[in-house]
Amino acid sequence: MKPRTILLAGAAALTAASMALAMTREGRADDAGTVTPDGSVRRLTEAQYRRVVADVFGQDIRVVGRFEPDKRVDGLVAVGSSMVSVTASGFDQYEGIARGIAEQVVDKDHRATLVGCEPAAGDTEGQACVSRFFAKVGPRLYRRAMAPAEIARFTAATLEAGRTLGDFHAGLATGLTAMLSSPEFLFRFERPAANGKLGGYARASRISFLLWNAPPDATLMEAAAAGTLDTPQGLATQVDRLMASPRFEDGMRAFFNDFLLLDDLDTLAKDSVLFPQFNANVAGLLKEQTLRTVVDLLVTNKGDYRDLFTTRRIAMHRALGPIYTVPVAGRDWTMHEFPEGDPRTGLLTHAGMLALHSHPGRTSPTLRGKAIQEALLCRKIPAPPANVSFAVVQDVNNPTLKTTRARLKAHLDDEECATCHRVTDPIGLALEQFDGVGQHRVTERGEPIDASGEFGGAAFTDAVALGKLFHDNADVSSCVVRTAWRYATGREPRAGDEPPIARLQAAFPKVGYRMTDLMRAIALSITLDPVPRAPASRQQVAIRTGVPPS
Amino acid sequence: MTNPMLSRRGFMLRGLVGGTAATVGIPILDMFLNGNGTAYAATVGGGALPVRFGTWFWGCGMIPNRWEPKTVGANYDLPPQLEPIKAVQKHVSVLSGFDVNLDGKGNLPHLSGNTAVRTGAAADSWEAIQAPSFDVLIADAVGNGSFFRALNLSADGNPRTSYSYRNGSSMNAASPSPTDFYRQLFGLDFHDPNSAEFKPDPRYIARRSVLSVVAEQRKALVASAGAADRARLDEYFTSVRELESKLALQLQKPPPAEACVRPAEPAALPAGTDLTDTPTRLGQHKLMSGLLAMALACNQTRIFNMAFSAAASDLRQTGETTGYHQSTHEELVDRSLGYQPTVDKFTTQSMVAWADFVEALASVREGDGTLLDNCLVFAHSEVSYARNHDLAGIPVMIAGRAGGKVKNGVHVRGAGEPISRIGLTMQQVMGMPVESWGKDVMRTTKPVSEILV
Amino acid sequence: MNRLPRRMAFRLLKTLPLAAALPVLIAADTPTGGEPGVRAFVLTNIFFAAPEEEGTCTPLADGGVESFYNSLPADEQAAFADPAKRRQLEHLMKERLGFKATRMPPGAENDPDAIRQAAAAAGFPAGKGRTAFANKRISYDSCTDPLDFMQLAKGYRHYDGKIAEGANLDGKHKRNDFRSAAGEPGIDNQVWRALGCTKAFRDAGDRKAARQVLMSARAPTLIELRGVDDLRNDPDVTVNVMAGSDALARDARGGPLLWSSFATDPDPALRATTKGRIVDGVLTTDPVDMRLNYKEQIIDAPRDLRGARISMTLKPDGSVDGRIYGYYTLSSLYASIEQMSQDGASASGISCPGVYKAIHDLADGYPDRKTGRKTAISSALGFVGVPAFAVPGERIAVTGKGAGL
């Protein structure tokens, strides 16, 4: 091939890219909101990326670099993963992270176990070894079977690099870097099988990422290859196997982490003068606390989801003792039980949840209420209106408004503000007995705090009572079903998805609101998804690309 | 069996393997060509000093009657909130009274205005943003040939604080700290343009050549994807190409850059430092501005975006329960002063940061003048009077003479004209053959001629 | 010969200053958890309480180095008059007076024979010297063997004021008793008389400074009240004084973290129990013998207090401020001085022989049954503390401490 050809090929690629750009440029700003992602191309989240690397190459391989931020859409990073791509600087970072991983894989400490072969006397460039290496790791990194032609391409490129660098292992690292930068590693692709349904490998990935937040393990990959995932019994066997494993806890943690937006605790900052008890270490522990409490109730004890709002059991760590003002013996995590009648009851009173949706210097009933409505009740709160006059919020005649409730009263007096604030503020005001970092208090600036209000037509006196109302509220339990479905599929429900979701919601009470049962039902149902868009005939796709339909 | 990989790259390798510095046989990669594909762009290896374009952002706007100058034209007066820019006033033009017109669309607080300023079209949700921000358009046009197509920075420690995006789902994440930025720019891959020695490193050849295996996967994947996914995949593969170009550039000796001196690595702040504290933020911002100025002087990029604070500014004063943003909505107008005093303080501090940024660019000597002379910087906020989320008269300032194409030190009053006129002007100054820009009511064909030479 | 880094030795009595003054409690001062009727406090500082009295100690007591300097002939004094020459002056003192120091041989820390051999090999006078500097050295100097260097006590002065903190421990009004700041006579605080003109102790005991310092952060003392029905007035509470095994944690402002949980050392020697009563928010207790950890940098010299009674004010913000009045044993008190090591004493302006002589001359309690000599000295220690929880702890290994040869 001559230089000119490269120029043309480059130009062609550039043209195609420009066309795509032109398409987006001409798009109207107001109609794009209706584009629903397929869920069939999903970028790995940072946690999933790390999980794949750990599963394939071992826990001690360090993954270092800055990941392109995950995007949260309608409350879930899982849905956002279907909408993001990789920017130029993002790809730069991915390639850098990949290089770091590859260099460790081939270094002296790891090559014996992770590569396990070398150039031999009759094969000084090590072609056989390279081929074997990619045949081994390729399918695990791509989460599907690989065609011999694909392996051959990576092998050839690797040998080429080895020649350039004059070193077998350096060449292998370079080739592995390319594989770790490939779209089929960075994204989850779901291709249709011959019958138009989801292929075996796609099913394996769906249930594995749902239940373990991890790529399919060897057993699951074998089941996919053998076609057993295409039968209900085969699928159920694998789902039950995955749920019986300790790794199911990882999957549940990942779901609740996304559902409850707990990752934001990692970057939460509070005013150090007003809240000296809070620091980055405490924030991390608060996240861990909520996750452990959820797992203890819903996984270990296969409990009722609704009990999350009324349980007095909470995971406790000594460094969190000061926030909760409870003594904590021992240096590890323990399960602590607050006494009967204690104001700390249920998820809504977890300090992490309370601190997350507050300002750095004080509480925010509106933010807390909004977060709870959106995450736990699946209600969308619209944005504040344009050009709202905030003059109405300040009661000029009485500047000494001691409590937050008093200050927010103006939200409810003005009809324009009240439509939304009537929805958000009462829930948030119920939590006012917990300050900006979630510490309990009974007065604010000397005045007793009134935490009463109304929810779902019933009155409550404080957060404990609100928790009971949440326990009994049908919207709370159906919301988690819907959210779990969206998390599993990575997309918003379309018209055709509503009946299955409704069935799941109807079944939830019948299984005692057990999250384990719900996850099992979802795992079995999402694999029945037909692939949304059928492109050119699958046969043609297979011939053109040499990639077997999965 | 011929190895297609080998023969495609073979000529290049023959020229370079063995460590010779010969550049014979390197194909004229399209990245050196300008839009018409005919001549070298005035970039790397081109000769003339490149013009750099950048944006600077601060959150929560200003108080109009304390920010907008009263006089128009040159030697404009400096109202109280603009006091901090006194020392750099001659480099800065102020553009007031240019509006965002939502034309009935919702005003998502702190988002809609910003989107309209950057994309020329209003949007009331992230997902609804379809068009790229204009800095991305400029980067697409002139960013090739530089090591980095664009550099994005945010002083608040959050990589998500960025108003540079291709669409609502594809945001260009920012480098969130001086240490991170330093490592990206001046770390192991930095080649000092002024060093006499240059030996092309075969590792770049190897890394670049294996990327073609990645690029080859495009056809098959795009063919089996739906429309929305196709666009995402195209974006991904464009990003792959960019890295390939960057690696190719690593094989070329960079032209000398007289002002380029590799700076020392800045010390990292202790973990858990509160970056919402205003003095701390100013410190971080100043450090990053200095590093960015040096990166520009070393020709690492021609496009940059710096965010001093995010929209709905998170700036605070330690010990106060109420930060900048909340104060804009909740602080009463002081009856004797006639304005919100806490808000006023925070705005003024944001202007201090702007002055620091301009100063950082002006203090690097380049050619006959300074780096700032060869820059065009567009500074803006997302609202004017934050209390009401007001989108009329969103504050804009321009700094730098764009190599002589732009006048500085003037105040232009927009009198309600669409703010997309400024975005259009920026694109035209940067040499893009664009006659109109913006959508619907914000579509315009008139640049702001008062700042053009 | 190893030299103690100046930086380390310099502030042995003033350590880890806080960034801010004592915290304001914003949490309710009633904890959520813990046993009902139990309130505990962790002490952030224990110090010799200094009275506020004008016109005393002019001049201040001479430290060992000052005493040595004053003993030099005029021409030598001139050579070392410049404060910049201080290091050379200390060096000269060592040479002239024959101080000795040698590194502790590895593994010899608990082996008296090995220590004696090392000392002899380093030229120590026979039978002299002690381990020092947290068992890392074997030294012979004015702090390890003060009786051999009594000339350095010249220029040492007792506190010359009339007022001191303290209580009337022996119930008597004696000529050498102090008066309290409120005018109460018969105050027994001979340790202040002994130490009160030494600048280091005056500074450490200053009310304001004492609140700013975290002392013994790695092994703080806890005071726990049990059977509390009313924090303002309660005629009968049980008071436990305990040793914490966990370090004091700081909050984001640099102050002590409130409501932390501290495991307590189960060693009975480090635990004292007595009865007390609260009247208008002030707790007073019956006397009891107690041993309080004092671990600060290289010092690990628990304070043995005999017949000690506590007086503690429970403040509205939840913190506490109090005194411990009792007899401080001479051996435990001098151990803390000696463990400073000569370098530490020189840097702090303390004369070990001066202190040694003063506390032995002024000791006024617990006569030895055989010799009749007083073994303890009346004291008033001040303390400040914040709310905490005491939780049961695991048994921890006892480490060896400084020993004689």
Side-chain angles (χ1 to χ4, degrees):
Chain A
M1 286 202 180
K2 299 215 182 70
R4 210 171 0 108
T5 319
I6 298 166
L7 185 57
L8 288 176
L14 200 56
T15 314
S18 318
M19 261 173 52
L21 290 176
M23 266 164 46
T24 56
R25 224 177 286 151
E26 295 306 310
R28 290 181 60 84
D30 56 355
D31 66 9
T34 57
V35 168
T36 343
D38 293 330
S40 55
V41 178
R42 300 170 64 170
R43 196 182 75 190
L44 291 183
T45 64
E46 179 176 339
Q48 290 166 345
Y49 183 110
R50 287 173 182 275
R51 185 79 257 156
V52 179
V53 171
D55 280 0
V56 178
F57 296 119
Q59 292 279 5
D60 66 329
I61 299 291
R62 283 184 329 271
V63 177
V64 179
R66 186 158 51 79
F67 282 79
E68 184 118 270
D70 292 320
K71 185 179 161 69
R72 197 174 282 281
V73 169
D74 278 338
L76 286 180
V77 164
V79 174
S81 71
S82 296
M83 296 186 65
V84 291
S85 179
V86 179
T87 63
S89 70
F91 186 75
D92 202 314
Q93 295 281 352
Y94 275 125
E95 200 257 1
I97 294 170
R99 256 186 302 138
I101 294 166
E103 276 160 22
Q104 291 173 74
V105 168
V106 305
D107 70 17
K108 293 207 173 66
D109 297 326
H110 293 101
R111 58 174 72 150
T113 26
L114 296 179
V115 180
C117 59
E118 299 238 309
D123 174 18
T124 49
E125 281 198 327
Q127 167 153 9
C129 178
V130 173
S131 196
R132 230 177 71 195
F133 176 75
F134 284 116
K136 181 178 66 171
V137 305
R140 299 206 59 197
L141 292 177
Y142 276 23
R143 286 114 30 208
R144 61 166 173 79
M146 285 182 77
E150 293 181 286
I151 310 251
R153 271 198 288 276
F154 274 98
T155 305
T158 299
L159 294 175
E160 180 62 50
R163 269 172 235 131
T164 307
L165 299 170
D167 181 303
F168 169 76
H169 287 103
L172 187 57
T174 312
L176 179 58
T177 301
M179 182 169 270
L180 289 169
S181 311
S182 288
E184 296 211 55
F185 171 69
L186 294 174
F187 291 87
R188 290 162 56 181
F189 284 86
E190 292 181 341
R191 289 196 199 79
N195 57 5
K197 297 239 172 72
L198 269 188
Y201 290 108
R203 290 168 176 234
S205 271
R206 277 211 179 181
I207 62 176
S208 185
F209 279 106
L210 170 64
L211 299 173
W212 285 4
N213 200 36
D217 66 356
T219 310
L220 197 53
M221 292 281 279
E222 278 160 27
T228 51
L229 294 182
D230 297 335
T231 69
Q233 306 91 297
L235 183 66
T237 308
Q238 288 303 317
V239 166
D240 290 333
R241 179 180 72 91
L242 295 187
M243 288 184 64
S245 155
R247 296 185 69 171
F248 177 56
E249 229 178 78
D250 295 337
M252 284 296 91
R253 283 175 62 111
F255 169 65
F256 277 94
N257 194 41
D258 200 354
F259 172 39
L260 298 176
L261 290 77
L262 295 176
D263 270 341
D264 291 345
L265 277 166
D266 291 337
T267 48
L268 191 64
K270 295 287 178 188
D271 189 303
S272 59
V273 171
L274 298 168
F275 299 117
Q277 306 80 348
F278 186 89
N279 58 47
N281 183 49
V282 168
L285 291 172
L286 290 175
K287 172 175 163 180
E288 185 64 22
Q289 174 179 59
T290 296
L291 289 173
R292 278 178 181 254
T293 307
V294 165
V295 164
D296 175 78
L297 174 66
L298 301 178
V299 179
T300 314
N301 290 301
K302 293 193 164 64
D304 178 331
Y305 170 72
R306 303 171 306 164
D307 289 345
L308 258 186
F309 300 99
T310 52
T311 179
R312 281 178 277 109
R313 245 169 97 81
I314 193 172
M316 191 59 75
H317 186 277
R318 187 178 288 192
L320 295 180
I323 298 270
Y324 289 92
T325 63
V326 293
V328 186
R331 289 170 204 286
D332 286 323
W333 287 96
T334 49
M335 290 310 291
H336 175 94
E337 179 129 4
F338 286 101
E340 181 85 44
D342 195 282
R344 292 275 185 193
T345 301
L347 180 69
L348 298 180
T349 63
H350 281 205
M353 300 286 292
L354 295 160
L356 251 186
H357 307 293
S358 300
H359 297 298
R362 58 171 210 230
T363 62
S364 171
T366 308
L367 285 180
R368 285 175 178 173
K370 177 174 186 285
I372 289 171
Q373 286 282 8
E374 291 184 332
L376 296 172
L377 288 155
C378 290
R379 288 183 198 151
K380 188 88 177 87
I381 308 292
N387 298 333
V388 60
S389 166
F390 285 89
V392 92
V393 182
Q394 276 84 53
D395 183 353
V396 192
N397 296 320
N398 181 13
T400 54
L401 298 163
K402 287 226 176 85
T403 63
T404 310
R405 180 183 288 266
R407 281 190 296 107
L408 293 190
K409 188 173 173 298
H411 279 170
L412 302 175
D413 287 344
D414 184 288
E415 197 45 48
E416 205 195 344
C417 305
T419 29
C420 292
H421 281 279
R422 226 179 266 135
V423 178
T424 58
D425 290 5
I427 293 179
L429 287 169
L431 303 171
E432 271 295 292
Q433 281 170 345
F434 300 97
D435 69 13
V437 295
Q439 297 174 119
H440 185 244
R441 59 179 184 177
V442 287
T443 61
E444 185 179 358
R445 296 209 273 169
E447 223 168 83
I449 294 172
D450 170 14
S452 63
E454 207 188 77
F455 173 70
F460 58 82
T461 46
D462 60 11
V464 179
L466 180 63
K468 287 208 190 75
L469 292 176
F470 266 60
H471 177 283
D472 299 334
N473 186 297
D475 290 345
V476 170
S477 32
S478 53
C479 175
V480 72
V481 175
R482 191 178 186 80
T483 307
W485 187 93
R486 288 166 58 223
Y487 174 84
T489 56
R491 64 164 205 266
E492 296 303 326
R494 290 184 289 258
D497 299 314
E498 296 297 349
I501 293 176
R503 278 195 292 273
L504 288 166
Q505 288 169 328
F508 200 33
K510 302 205 181 86
V511 295
Y513 302 91
R514 268 191 298 275
M515 283 304 293
T516 42
D517 285 44
L518 174 65
M519 284 303 170
R520 186 175 190 278
I522 291 179
L524 294 174
S525 77
I526 55 171
T527 49
L528 301 174
D529 235 4
V531 176
R533 252 169 255 273
S537 114
R538 266 93 46 215
Q539 204 70 358
Q540 289 179 304
V541 170
I543 291 169
R544 243 190 281 142
T545 64
V547 173
S550 51
Chain B
M1 161 180 136
T2 50
N3 187 332
M5 278 296 308
L6 182 55
S7 57
R8 203 154 83 178
R9 303 287 172 210
F11 70 92
M12 202 154 114
L13 290 175
R14 276 197 295 276
L16 288 172
V17 167
T20 61
T23 52
V24 167
I26 298 285
I28 300 170
L29 295 172
D30 52 23
M31 61 191 185
F32 289 120
L33 308 176
N34 66 9
N36 293 332
T38 49
Y40 278 108
T43 59
V44 180
L49 285 166
V51 175
R52 291 77 150 199
F53 174 76
T55 68
W56 192 89
F57 179 84
W58 86 96
C60 279
M62 48 31 154
I63 299 173
N65 63 13
R66 285 178 66 74
W67 187 88
E68 288 171 358
K70 309 279 179 286
T71 60
V72 187
N75 300 315
Y76 54 89
D77 59 293
L78 280 184
Q81 289 184 342
L82 280 183
E83 260 301 312
I85 73 165
K86 197 179 183 129
V88 296
Q89 184 182 2
K90 59 180 186 290
H91 300 306
V92 175
S93 289
V94 175
L95 281 67
S96 67
F98 285 88
D99 292 354
V100 163
N101 190 334
L102 294 173
D103 194 27
K105 294 201 192 67
N107 180 1
L108 192 67
H110 302 284
L111 177 68
S112 297
N114 215 10
T115 313
V117 171
R118 302 289 280 221
T119 68
D124 52 15
S125 73
W126 276 106
E127 286 71 50
I129 300 172
Q130 280 286 286
S133 53
F134 72 85
D135 61 283
V136 167
L137 295 175
I138 295 175
D140 284 347
V142 308
N144 287 326
S146 298
F147 204 64
F148 295 93
R149 178 186 282 251
L151 288 174
N152 297 287
L153 304 88
S154 77
D156 69 352
N158 188 345
R160 286 192 169 92
T161 301
S162 166
Y163 304 101
S164 167
Y165 37 81
R166 205 164 277 291
N167 58 53
S169 297
S170 173
M171 177 199 66
N172 293 318
S175 175
S177 74
T179 332
D180 179 281
F181 185 67
Y182 181 89
R183 292 209 183 123
Q184 193 187 359
L185 265 294
F186 299 108
L188 296 168
D189 283 339
F190 176 69
H191 292 311
D192 187 339
N194 299 325
S195 77
E197 280 277 312
F198 179 77
K199 247 179 113 183
D201 187 335
R203 281 178 297 185
Y204 294 115
I205 303 172
R207 279 168 65 191
R208 183 162 191 268
S209 87
V210 295
L211 279 181
S212 61
V213 179
V214 177
E216 277 165 11
Q217 298 168 37
R218 184 179 162 269
K219 246 194 183 147
L221 290 175
V222 167
S224 56
D229 290 336
R230 219 172 281 157
R232 293 164 65 210
L233 288 172
D234 273 328
E235 182 181 347
Y236 165 88
F237 283 107
T238 307
S239 302
V240 176
R241 266 193 64 77
E242 287 225 10
L243 183 59
E244 288 179 311
S245 305
K246 182 173 163 189
L247 291 170
L249 272 176
Q250 287 280 32
L251 297 167
Q252 309 266 329
K253 183 180 189 336
E258 42 158 297
C260 178
V261 174
R262 185 194 207 153
E265 177 158 3
L269 284 178
T273 304
D274 184 2
L275 288 172
T276 62
D277 175 61
T278 307
T280 313
R281 178 72 60 83
L282 285 166
Q284 285 289 83
H285 170 261
K286 208 171 192 170
L287 257 180
M288 293 177 87
S289 303
L291 289 173
L292 174 63
M294 191 45 74
L296 293 169
C298 294
N299 286 323
Q300 298 297 291
T301 191
R302 285 184 63 187
I303 312 292
F304 58 90
N305 296 286
M306 166 72 93
F308 168 66
S309 55
S313 174
D314 59 337
L315 286 182
R316 302 180 49 250
Q317 208 67 48
T318 306
E320 299 298 319
T321 58
T322 305
Y324 186 4
H325 177 214
Q326 289 156 263
S327 297
T328 61
H329 294 312
E330 297 179 8
E331 188 178 34
L332 298 172
V333 171
D334 182 304
R335 281 192 221 179
S336 53
L337 294 172
Y339 56 88
Q340 300 164 296
T342 308
V343 173
D344 183 71
K345 264 205 313 256
F346 280 116
T347 309
T348 312
Q349 291 293 292
S350 304
M351 292 300 101
V352 167
W354 168 239
D356 285 345
F357 188 77
V358 174
E359 187 55 54
L361 299 179
S363 59
V364 178
R365 301 219 58 80
E366 193 174 71
D368 294 329
T370 69
L371 171 66
L372 182 62
D373 293 333
N374 297 312
C375 281
L376 178 63
V377 188
F378 171 78
H380 72 106
S381 187
E382 87 281 17
V383 287
S384 54
Y385 191 37
R387 189 154 187 236
N388 305 332
H389 295 141
D390 200 345
L391 303 184
I394 289 187
V396 174
M397 290 175 288
I398 310 288
R401 294 194 304 113
K405 299 206 196 84
V406 160
K407 244 189 282 189
N408 276 153
V410 298
H411 172 222
V412 181
R413 217 176 255 144
E417 288 283 299
I419 203 167
S420 42
R421 284 183 61 196
I422 311 180
L424 174 68
T425 315
M426 297 295 101
Q427 294 174 71
Q428 288 179 343
V429 168
M430 290 307 294
M432 287 167 65
V434 53
E435 278 171 2
S436 78
W437 188 63
K439 212 144 271 338
D440 305 328
V441 291
M442 292 201 57
R443 186 171 181 281
T444 183
T445 53
K446 278 179 10 187
V448 180
S449 49
E450 292 93 324
I451 60 168
L452 297 175
V453 154
Chain C
M1 170 158 107
N2 292 333
R3 225 193 127 66
L4 179 63
R6 194 162 265 283
R7 227 182 325 117
M8 253 221 88
F10 184 60
R11 286 271 177 228
L12 285 181
L13 293 186
K14 284 193 191 193
T15 53
L16 306 171
L18 296 179
L22 218 71
V24 170
L25 280 187
I26 48 179
D29 57 1
T30 313
T32 301
E35 296 169 66
V38 176
R39 290 302 188 89
F41 305 90
V42 67
L43 306 191
T44 54
N45 191 7
I46 303 173
F47 49 94
F48 289 112
E52 281 167 28
E53 193 178 11
E54 301 274 315
T56 58
C57 297
T58 44
L60 294 166
D62 281 343
V65 178
E66 284 72 34
S67 182
F68 173 73
Y69 175 82
N70 291 334
S71 73
L72 294 173
D75 55 342
E76 278 201 285
Q77 284 195 357
F80 291 98
D82 183 356
K85 290 277 175 65
R86 173 97 181 178
R87 286 194 72 176
Q88 286 100 305
L89 177 59
E90 290 179 33
H91 189 80
L92 181 70
M93 180 171 82
K94 283 191 181 134
E95 299 246 306
R96 280 280 167 82
L97 301 184
F99 294 167
K100 300 253 181 271
T102 187
R103 203 177 289 154
M104 171 74 74
E109 287 86 359
N110 294 315
D111 184 347
D113 289 325
I115 293 174
R116 264 193 287 275
Q117 273 175 17
F124 283 35
K128 299 286 189 174
R130 293 170 76 77
T131 60
F133 201 64
N135 265 0
K136 293 197 174 51
R137 284 193 202 154
I138 311 164
S139 298
Y140 170 67
D141 53 45
S142 76
C143 294
T144 62
D145 295 81
L147 292 170
D148 286 2
F149 299 98
M150 272 304 167
Q151 68 271 44
L152 294 181
K154 185 152 187 239
Y156 192 83
R157 304 186 58 230
H158 294 175
Y159 183 69
D160 55 9
K162 299 267 181 288
I163 297 173
E165 294 263 349
N168 189 344
L169 296 176
D170 60 7
K172 305 195 185 108
H173 291 191
K174 308 183 297 295
R175 214 161 35 86
N176 65 351
D177 285 351
F178 284 101
R179 209 172 62 231
S180 78
E184 188 193 328
I187 301 296
D188 298 309
N189 192 351
Q190 291 293 75
V191 85
W192 188 253
R193 194 181 300 285
L195 304 178
C197 274
T198 300
K199 186 166 194 306
F201 294 105
R202 292 169 71 78
D203 290 348
D206 169 70
R207 267 226 171 94
K208 286 195 203 70
R211 304 188 145 270
Q212 308 277 332
V213 168
L214 285 186
M215 177 65 69
S216 262
R218 73 178 197 262
T221 298
L222 288 106
I223 295 179
E224 181 190 58
L225 311 183
R226 304 190 77 90
V228 179
D229 305 308
D230 179 345
L231 272 176
R232 288 289 304 166
N233 289 287
D234 191 327
D236 179 23
V237 298
T238 305
V239 179
N240 289 325
V241 181
M242 301 180 285
S245 312
D246 290 314
L248 277 170
R250 285 179 184 277
D251 68 17
R253 273 190 309 205
L257 185 60
L258 307 183
W259 297 114
S260 287
S261 296
F262 291 89
T264 53
D265 194 325
D267 181 353
L270 291 169
R271 183 178 280 254
T273 301
T274 184
K275 284 263 163 230
R277 70 249 7 122
I278 308 177
V279 175
D280 288 336
V282 179
L283 167 83
T284 51
T285 72
D286 296 342
V288 67
D289 291 354
M290 58 177 70
R291 170 174 284 181
L292 306 177
N293 269 336
Y294 176 20
K295 298 190 198 211
E296 199 53 62
Q297 295 175 51
I298 60 169
I299 297 176
D300 182 359
R303 308 179 207 261
D304 281 330
L305 302 174
R306 312 212 53 188
R309 37 186 117 161
I310 298 172
S311 165
M312 182 169 89
T313 306
L314 294 102
K315 318 242 299 274
D317 69 359
S319 67
V320 295
D321 190 319
R323 297 284 180 270
I324 305 176
Y325 306 120
Y327 289 90
Y328 200 149
T329 68
L330 297 181
S331 57
S332 69
L333 173 53
Y334 192 71
S336 70
I337 303 293
E338 177 197 296
Q339 285 184 18
M340 240 178 248
S341 81
Q342 182 67 56
D343 287 333
S346 300
S348 308
I350 291 173
S351 164
C352 289
V355 167
Y356 185 89
K357 182 174 194 301
I359 62 178
H360 281 81
D361 286 349
L362 295 168
D364 57 346
Y366 293 81
D368 180 275
R369 242 176 260 127
K370 288 205 197 94
T371 65
R373 273 201 293 240
K374 305 290 199 314
T375 62
I377 184 168
S378 54
S379 311
L381 295 174
F383 65 83
V384 284
V386 296
F389 293 107
V391 295
E394 315 91 42
R395 194 154 269 283
I396 51 171
V398 178
T399 57
K401 295 198 251 294
L405 295 181

